[in-house]
Amino acid sequence: MQHYSDEKNRAGMSVLFMVVQMMVLGVVYIIVYTSFVAVGYAIKEYSVSAAMYIPVVAVLIIFPVLLYKYRQMFSAGKMLSAFVWMMATASLVIVLLYVYVAQLIP
């Protein structure tokens, strides 16, 4: 007869959370890539400044740092908060990049 082990459940949830983080990172990086392409198109066609890359590069650098912080939060026992913050941040980043690209190209 097996006994309930909270450590096995915690380890399994940690692995599951990391897999979900990798999927979310992949989705956000797809949006970042399309934003890079759109900004490049705007620079070529509409002669906008190359400084328009700055918000996209900022997302490229900051988002993995946030995911690391959420993994630390998850490991500290705040599992639901970490998941909600991760999904909310990813959604916000995607929407903000879409709005940025939409106003960039007339």
Side-chain angles (χ1 to χ4, degrees), residues 65-98:
V65 174
L66 290 174
L67 287 181
Y68 176 72
K69 294 294 182 183
Y70 300 146
R71 188 177 307 154
Q72 287 179 335
M73 186 187 302
F74 189 88
S75 297
K78 300 176 183 177
M79 297 175 185
L80 183 61
S81 298
F83 184 77
V84 169
W85 273 102
M86 177 185 65
M87 296 307 289
T89 306
S91 301
L92 182 66
V93 164
I94 289 170
V95 168
L96 289 177
L97 280 176
Y98 175 74

Side-chain angles (χ1 to χ4, degrees), residues 30-60:
I30 288 170
I31 302 300
V32 167
Y33 173 74
T34 56
S35 298
F36 270 121
V37 171
V39 170
Y41 176 76
I43 288 172
K44 188 173 104 180
E45 293 294 321
Y46 300 109
S47 301
V48 296
S49 172
M52 294 299 189
Y53 280 118
I54 292 173
V56 182
V57 171
V59 169
L60 186 69

